[in-house]
Amino acid sequence: QVQLVQSGAEVKKPGASVKVSCKASGYTFTSYGISWVRQAPGQGLEWMGWISAYNGNTNYAQKLQGRVTMTTDTSTSTAYMELRSLRSDDTAVYYCTRSIVGAMPHLDYWGQGTLVTVSS
Amino acid sequence: EIVLTQSPGTLSLSPGERATLSCRASQSVSSSYLAWYQQKPGQAPRLLIYGASSRATGIPDRFSGSGSGTDFTLTISRLEPEDFAVYYCQQYGSSAWTFGQGTKVEIK
């Protein structure tokens, strides 16, 4: 069965960076993309960006351009999301999702989430 | 950027009742590009509907989606206890996804 297993919770100071991993299993990794979605405490869902596991092409949300980098390691079927220059409002649960683009785009499988806390 | 506005913010209903959730887009959205998700407290969201009306794998048929253009609807025909949750609509456009702010369905 399809599974996305994310790395554990992180606590970071303002200005630092965080890198979250997402290990995929149960499907052909390079046949799909991975999107990252975050959710601040008590708030809604915010799409952060997408990466093609096939060729590494990326598309980032405009508000995060320059601070976020998404990568994949096809040898281990793992996706990574790095966010730099962290601020307190980056405190959120970060989810990786399997992304289907094309005729009917949607996010069909989600990781369990990784809580990133930014605090001095 | 297309903005999705969901209404109502909170829907208070009893088990067995019908729930009708609205998602309105600031400009026309291809119905193929509209999806709905359910999120329960402490859990990751779960895909319910994609392509505006196609149920995801394992989703009960009491969930249905409809709509086109700028107005889309998620209907839960008869609420079960496990359906009380927050629901988000989502659209895909210009290689990016955006979400509505969510509708909470709570027990009356």
Side-chain angles (χ1 to χ4, degrees):
Chain A
Q1 73 282 23
V2 174
Q3 281 194 304
L4 299 171
V5 178
Q6 299 182 222
S7 50
E10 303 262 13
V11 179
K12 296 291 183 181
K13 294 194 182 303
S17 299
V18 69
K19 192 169 186 177
V20 179
S21 67
C22 169
K23 184 169 178 58
S25 61
Y27 71 97
T28 302
F29 184 65
T30 51
S31 294
Y32 297 84
I34 294 285
S35 280
W36 291 85
V37 175
R38 69 180 181 178
Q39 186 170 38
Q43 302 302 308
L45 303 171
E46 178 187 13
W47 177 78
M48 301 177 66
W50 166 89
I51 181 167
S52 166
Y54 173 71
N55 58 17
N57 286 350
T58 55
N59 188 38
Y60 302 136
Q62 201 159 8
K63 70 175 284 188
L64 295 174
Q65 289 271 4
R67 287 208 299 139
V68 68
T69 301
M70 296 175 187
T71 57
T72 59
D73 181 346
T74 57
S75 69
T76 60
S77 299
T78 303
Y80 299 91
M81 185 284 299
E82 181 180 32
L83 189 60
R84 300 176 293 278
S85 302
L86 288 168
R87 310 187 289 246
S88 58
D89 63 356
D90 292 317
T91 294
V93 176
Y94 289 75
Y95 295 101
C96 62
T97 77
R98 191 176 79 163
S99 300
I100 294 176
V101 294
M104 289 192 283
H106 53 278
L107 310 177
D108 62 348
Y109 287 93
W110 294 62
Q112 83 277 19
T114 297
L115 176 61
V116 175
T117 302
V118 183
S119 174
S120 55
Chain B
E1 176 184 303
I2 295 177
V3 176
L4 300 178
T5 302
Q6 293 186 239
S7 61
T10 302
L11 198 51
S12 298
L13 295 168
S14 300
E17 289 193 292
R18 181 184 189 89
T20 303
L21 287 67
S22 172
C23 176
R24 179 160 291 176
S26 59
Q27 54 187 282
S28 186
V29 172
S30 167
S31 58
S32 296
Y33 289 4
L34 198 287
W36 290 91
Y37 300 82
Q38 176 195 66
Q39 187 178 32
K40 297 178 182 178
Q43 295 185 16
R46 176 174 72 147
L47 175 69
L48 295 177
I49 301 285
Y50 63 95
S53 60
S54 297
R55 272 187 301 276
T57 304
I59 300 304
D61 60 8
R62 65 180 180 272
F63 291 92
S64 63
S66 63
S68 63
T70 59
D71 291 299
F72 296 88
T73 300
L74 175 69
T75 302
I76 310 171
S77 59
R78 289 178 57 86
L79 282 164
E80 297 287 342
E82 62 268 28
D83 299 337
F84 292 92
V86 179
Y87 294 83
Y88 295 93
C89 60
Q90 175 203 54
Q91 71 87 33
Y92 175 81
S94 302
S95 302
W97 277 267
T98 54
F99 291 92
Q101 83 281 14
T103 289
K104 181 179 182 180
V105 179
E106 65 175 23
I107 299 176
K108 187 174 180 180

